[in-house]
Amino acid sequence: MPQERLDLLKLPKPVRGPINDLVRALNAASTREDIEREGTLEIALILGLETAKKLKPADIEALYMIFDDAVQERLQRLPAEE
């Protein structure tokens, strides 16, 4: 999952907590709807961080890619889990 990739980023503690919460929620999602909802929440959080200029542009881009990859991976694994 994305945790290993997230650990490579030097995210400030106030940002790391909400990001880790989203990772846990994505990992716990069990339906397509839940996974897609988590993806939407992740994008909203990252957009908020970007708008508030809380992170460097490279970190924002990395977060978008990490979470997009994680959501796609979870969606692809659904048929095998059902």
Side-chain angles (χ1 to χ4, degrees):
M1 255 336 201
Q3 193 62 51
E4 299 83 28
R5 291 171 64 191
L6 287 170
D7 290 342
L8 297 175
L9 298 177
K10 303 293 184 209
L11 300 176
K13 265 194 176 177
V15 172
R16 174 123 352 236
I19 295 285
N20 287 339
D21 290 344
L22 287 175
V23 170
R24 280 191 291 280
L26 178 61
N27 288 338
S30 60
T31 66
R32 175 171 294 281
E33 293 79 20
D34 290 344
I35 293 167
E36 290 172 348
R37 183 175 36 252
E38 289 306 319
T40 301
L41 291 172
E42 291 161 356
I43 290 170
L45 175 68
I46 297 166
L47 182 59
L49 294 170
E50 182 177 21
T51 302
K53 299 188 185 308
K54 296 267 185 193
L55 298 174
K56 295 181 272 183
D59 289 340
I60 293 291
E61 185 175 340
L63 286 173
Y64 278 124
M65 291 188 307
I66 290 168
F67 280 112
D68 184 56
D69 290 349
V71 167
Q72 294 309 313
E73 178 184 326
R74 290 284 289 131
L75 288 172
Q76 289 174 358
R77 288 181 19 211
L78 268 182
E81 294 175 1
E82 293 182 327

